[in-house]
Amino acid sequence: MKTLRLREGKERSLLRGHPWIFDTAIAKGSADAGETVKVESFEGAFLAWAAYSPQSKIKARVWSFDEKQRIDEEFLDGLVQKAVQSRQLFDLQSNGVRLVHAESDGLPGLIVDQYADTLVLQVLGCGVERFKSILVKSLMKHTGLDRVYERSDTQARTMEGLAPSAGWLSHPQTQKNLLLQITEHDCKLDLDIEHGHKTGFYLDQRESRRRFADYAQRMSFERVLNCFCYTGGFSVAALMGMRRAGVLQKGGHVISIDSSANALNMAAQNMRLNGFSSEHFTLMDADVNASLRLFLQESRQFDAIVLDPPKFAPSHAHVERAARAYKDINRLALQLLRPGGVLFTFSCSGGVSADLFHKIVASAGADAHVDGFIAERLQGAMDHPMTLNFPEGDYLKGLVVIRK
Ligand code: SAH
């Protein structure tokens, strides 16, 4: 067993239960990619068992803080079982579920999303890569599913020094369908696990989409704008609420903007799938910022706007520029809302805290000379859990603002 010896005083975060060991904390020791290492303090006290990542800045990710624990098939199977079972505690009202959320489930670098009868994995760490076949076997055992697809083709994987990898992990010769359908609340949603973003869909916004549908119904939205719509999740949710409120017959309409033509095609498909015809929606293949400016010039107004942009700040180094970009779109959106209109605004940048995001939106309001009630604070859905020991899990934050 190889050992990593930490520098003096660098054991503090591990003693608090945080699972990452940065290269700057290590005094000596190394291992192969994904190999289990023993981590010791400068004084030689046992701290943790961890998976080694030679190429990453995060040199090791903890499997266990228990010296007696063996990192073997039985241990990993237990983690998978616990993750899968814990999702039954949540009332998700969907057959699209995140079953494993990496560090939060004790499986650093492993993402597993279930879409109906199919599991889609992202393997983004050397430790989980080394044990991939064991983990897949466990996942199949505990879910009873035998369709497993891999989408490990992201930049996070490259940063770990792992080559991109995508395709079926189970029975590759017989598996075909890469276009899947889930039912989220009462919405049917198609998704593409081969070409879609992440594993194909943004499950983390499930609860916020439901809230948006509720507002659409309760406040009888007629003119809705969904910015960064991807495959139209918030648009379908809005139309559902509007249909329940009876405003579709009176000309209720949702505009959805995205810069990806593929995403927009899927968005159109999703709206039709739920019985909405083209008189009720418009899709714009355009840049959001430019479109918002154009709408302002045209003196348009909306009852509700969603801003769910991609990660503007991939790391702390990008926070300042990201803050300006968030502020810009929020200022424009607040100006486009009618008094009493509702803004659902989000940031999925880990480097932008909920507190900072609040400040950014507040300063956007000040610039727009618009005030609003903060009706709700939103976060990622329950199956993307945050844990006490891992604050990095708190990436998605949102505000519901009602313009005064
Ligand atoms: N709200 C969506 C997820 C949004 S993901 C959901 O609930 O599923 C962010 C989207 O922003 C992606 O689809 C991406 O194509 C789009 N995007 C990124 N930059 C953009 C820009 N400048 N203008 C328009 N769309 C953009």
Side-chain angles (χ1 to χ4, degrees), residues 197 201-202 205 209 226-234 257-260 263 286-289 306 308-310 312:
H197 296 174
F201 190 65
Y202 290 87
Q205 288 285 34
R209 286 188 288 262
N226 180 11
C227 301
F228 310 97
C229 70
Y230 187 50
T231 54
F234 279 98
I257 310 177
D258 203 281
S259 55
S260 153
D287 173 65
V288 163
N289 199 300
V306 178
D308 185 21
F312 284 160

Side-chain angles (χ1 to χ4, degrees), residues 42-116:
F42 182 72
E43 293 77 17
F46 172 88
L47 293 169
W49 301 112
Y52 193 72
S53 282
Q55 310 245 346
S56 172
K57 272 195 171 323
I58 305 170
K59 275 277 175 288
R61 291 161 199 256
V62 171
W63 285 124
S64 171
F65 295 101
D66 177 1
E67 189 166 9
K68 292 194 281 306
Q69 182 63 58
R70 287 174 60 114
I71 310 307
D72 55 12
E73 185 162 350
E74 191 189 340
F75 170 72
L76 295 166
D77 185 63
L79 289 176
V80 169
Q81 181 178 26
K82 218 172 179 176
V84 170
Q85 282 180 351
S86 70
R87 273 38 181 195
Q88 285 156 15
L89 302 172
F90 310 143
D91 179 23
L92 300 176
Q93 297 175 34
S94 175
N95 60 352
V97 180
R98 173 148 301 186
L99 293 178
V100 177
H101 191 52
E103 274 77 352
S104 302
D105 286 299
L107 288 157
L110 181 67
I111 298 290
V112 183
D113 288 335
Q114 176 182 351
Y115 298 119

Side-chain angles (χ1 to χ4, degrees), residues 1 7 25 49 70 75 170 193 215 250 283 290 292 334:
M1 179 63 60
R7 290 178 197 276
W49 301 112
R70 287 174 60 114
F75 170 72
S170 58
I193 58 170
Y215 274 76
K250 293 187 236 150
L283 298 165
L292 295 176
L334 285 166

Side-chain angles (χ1 to χ4, degrees), residues 1-6 21 26-32 35-42 44-50 52 60:
M1 179 63 60
K2 294 181 185 155
T3 301
L4 290 188
R5 174 69 58 94
L6 299 192
I21 300 154
I26 298 172
K28 65 172 189 200
S30 74
D32 293 336
E35 201 177 342
T36 303
V37 290
K38 185 180 193 177
V39 186
E40 289 182 352
S41 70
F42 182 72
F46 172 88
L47 293 169
W49 301 112
Y52 193 72

